[in-house]
Amino acid sequence: MTSVAQIVAELLPMLQARSIAELEHWTEAELYEYADEAAQSLARATIAFVEHDTSTLTLAGSASYRLPDRYLGMLHVALSGAALRRAPVREIEALDAQWPTASGPVSHYILDELGLDSFRLYKIPATGGAVLALVYASRPETISAAHATLAAPSPLADLLRLAILREARGREGDAAMPEVAVNIREFERILTAAAVEYWS
Amino acid sequence: MTLLDLRNRTWKRLDDDGTYWKQAELDAALNLAQRAFCLLTLSIEQRAILPLEPAVRFYLLSTPLPQYLVMLRVYLEAITPGSAPGGSLWDVPLWDVPLWDEPDTTVTAAAGFSKLHPARLEAFDAANPPWPSTAGTPTRYAPLGVHLLAIDQAPSVAQTQRLHLTFAVAPHALVSDGDTPAIREEYHPALIDFARWWLRLKEGGQQLTQAAPGLGAFLSAAAACSARVRARASALGYDTRPYELTPAAIAKLVERLGKK
């Protein structure tokens, strides 16, 4: 767990301030916004944040279930200890023309049936209460002054440090230093490429 | 070099004595340099023993191993519990880390030692769809993100299997003047090179342009260390190699940043 609050505090001298109150061209909220954007971007570029969720239970007669909050991509689904196969709708259609109403043992899960917020099981489970174990890539929780931590090792969290300084100095205004933003972006690219290689 | 040495040398390079760049700024820059170096090279390794629990296939590593970065190798040791006195299942060798204060117990002999191979969860699913509920001897592991480790089978009896993990770690923070960086000493000057460039970001302009070679020197040292670690990782059969930095890419980067 890395403290984003500490990262912000350590960056203040680079922004010509000794404390949050002395920040002249940025607000504290703005700096945390930069950190949050970087964290979300990192999560999309890598598979660094993975959750194993066993809180979903099947409902008898219900095939569609809501994807978890902060879900990015599914890695694995298991029902009652057996892995389900992922299939797009067109394959299920080819397999079973009656698939929308077919009921019985569940063998597949479908991610492209309706929108981006739910997934569907094929077939419709006849009984409920079975554990749907989901392993999925996720986004980290929103970073703000009230929630100033990132569940990641410190070398990975340094990408947030770079992003805060890059965005702060890259923003147009009296404190803009575009050459600083360019320098940081070059170094950030290297660290991000390493992170993608390790966690993708 | 100690943190005090690194700090003083960095101040001298910047022609400062703490008037413009405070001690905290230098310490933050040197720590950032060390962390970035470790991320690029995976040069700091640790080992730990993870006892496998019945019916548990997903293990959260961040709590017992807070410095964990990337898994390098996993061995499985099968244990045969016995009644012979004197031996201890949890007798941890000097370089190993006990994870959960495991109590001592008796053991007769290790019954097997085998390497687990890395795989994705899709491979687990393809090889054995009921793997989430299958008991047996694991043959594959899947590192998932920065926190999770999955194995394709779990033991049915407790205290019969354990994993020997070898993994790259993040370095400890340099806090006191006497602290020494965890990376090898021949690379300590690279931390100063990085700090010179990082601290010039506060000024920008021509000062920053002239400091670009410092970043190049840091990346060159990281590339050299990374090449060394990669060669060693190949010889040891590690499952993960460090990121590869090429001298040409570093030279182009320095040229781009050094243009006025």
Side-chain angles (χ1 to χ4, degrees):
Chain A
M1 190 71 74
T2 304
S3 167
V4 182
Q6 184 179 349
I7 290 176
V8 170
E10 288 177 359
L11 282 175
L12 292 177
M14 306 290 280
L15 300 174
Q16 312 292 353
R18 286 175 296 187
S19 66
I20 293 283
E22 282 191 14
L23 278 172
E24 194 176 337
H25 303 282
W26 307 273
T27 63
E28 182 186 25
E30 209 174 334
L31 298 183
Y32 279 107
E33 282 171 12
Y34 299 150
D36 181 60
E37 288 167 13
Q40 306 305 325
S41 175
L42 178 65
R44 287 192 300 274
T46 66
I47 309 181
F49 306 98
V50 177
E51 301 289 338
H52 176 224
D53 181 281
T54 55
S55 62
T56 305
L57 301 178
T58 57
L59 295 172
S62 177
S64 291
Y65 297 85
R66 187 172 172 75
L67 287 167
D69 293 338
R70 298 183 286 112
Y71 161 89
L72 278 181
M74 194 66 78
L75 300 176
H76 164 84
V77 177
L79 178 64
S80 298
L84 302 181
R85 293 176 63 180
R86 183 194 315 214
V89 169
R90 69 174 188 279
E91 284 187 17
I92 300 295
E93 283 176 345
L95 184 67
D96 180 358
Q98 309 303 318
W99 71 272
T101 55
S103 177
V106 178
S107 57
H108 294 75
Y109 69 97
I110 305 162
L111 289 172
D112 61 343
E113 191 242 351
L114 182 67
L116 302 174
D117 296 327
S118 65
F119 69 102
R120 186 191 168 105
L121 302 177
Y122 168 78
K123 299 176 181 176
I124 302 171
T127 56
V131 175
L132 264 175
L134 309 177
V135 181
Y136 59 95
S138 72
R139 298 181 290 105
E141 291 191 41
T142 301
I143 296 172
S144 64
H147 181 262
T149 57
L150 178 71
S154 48
L156 200 59
D158 280 332
L159 286 167
L160 273 63
R161 183 188 303 264
L162 298 175
I164 293 171
L165 193 55
R166 170 176 52 78
E167 290 290 342
R169 287 303 188 187
R171 195 192 72 171
E172 289 190 20
D174 290 342
M177 294 170 78
E179 72 280 10
V180 170
V182 167
N183 268 258
I184 294 175
R185 186 175 288 114
E186 293 287 345
F187 183 59
E188 201 178 345
R189 274 202 193 115
I190 295 174
L191 292 191
T192 302
V196 169
E197 188 164 308
Y198 300 148
W199 295 294
S200 64
Chain B
M1 292 184 212
T2 62
L3 177 60
L4 181 66
D5 294 330
L6 293 167
R7 194 190 301 133
N8 286 338
R9 294 188 192 196
T10 305
W11 263 323
K12 283 182 189 162
R13 299 291 198 284
L14 296 169
D15 192 25
D16 188 40
D17 55 2
T19 305
Y20 184 64
W21 284 285
K22 306 300 180 193
Q23 175 177 318
E25 293 176 72
L26 265 76
D27 291 355
L30 292 166
N31 274 297
L32 172 61
Q34 191 186 208
R35 289 192 300 270
F37 193 93
C38 289
L39 184 67
L40 292 172
T41 62
L42 304 183
S43 57
I44 305 176
E45 299 171 11
Q46 243 181 43
R47 291 183 181 137
I49 293 180
L50 175 67
L52 297 184
E53 301 291 328
V56 177
R57 287 157 192 83
F58 292 91
Y59 290 86
L60 189 66
L61 299 179
S62 54
T63 303
L65 307 173
Q67 302 297 100
Y68 167 77
L69 264 186
V70 173
M71 195 62 70
L72 298 175
R73 185 175 60 192
V74 178
Y75 276 112
L76 171 73
E77 183 183 9
I79 304 291
T80 304
S83 57
S88 168
L89 180 63
W90 312 121
D91 192 11
V92 181
L94 184 64
W95 39 258
D96 276 336
V97 178
L99 290 179
W100 294 295
D101 294 325
E102 307 90 331
D104 285 347
T105 187
T106 56
V107 63
T108 49
F113 212 83
S114 59
K115 186 174 189 292
L116 297 194
H117 298 281
R120 293 177 179 268
L121 292 182
E122 291 89 340
F124 288 18
D125 295 345
N128 181 24
W131 71 267
S133 56
T134 304
T137 301
T139 57
R140 295 185 181 88
Y141 75 94
L144 301 170
V146 297
H147 300 305
L148 278 181
L149 177 72
I151 52 173
D152 61 345
Q153 300 205 46
S156 55
V157 179
Q159 298 180 9
T160 56
Q161 294 174 1
R162 60 186 187 182
L163 298 183
H164 292 246
L165 309 175
T166 304
F167 49 95
V169 294
H172 58 265
L174 303 171
V175 177
S176 306
D177 285 353
D179 289 346
T180 54
I183 62 176
R184 291 182 60 87
E185 189 153 2
E186 64 252 41
Y187 301 117
H188 290 186
L191 304 182
I192 300 173
D193 292 325
F194 179 91
R196 283 170 51 208
W197 168 78
W198 177 259
L199 293 166
R200 287 293 186 195
L201 292 172
K202 191 176 174 180
E203 298 177 306
Q206 194 169 346
Q207 301 280 16
L208 176 60
T209 302
Q210 291 172 352
L215 178 62
F218 169 81
L219 292 173
S220 294
C225 182
S226 173
R228 194 172 163 185
V229 172
R230 254 198 317 284
R232 184 173 169 276
S234 294
L236 289 171
Y238 281 176
D239 301 323
T240 307
R241 309 282 191 272
Y243 178 70
E244 185 169 359
L245 276 165
T246 61
I250 296 170
K252 280 186 186 171
L253 181 149
V254 173
E255 186 185 355
R256 277 199 303 274
L257 297 181
K259 282 183 181 168
K260 296 175 186 159

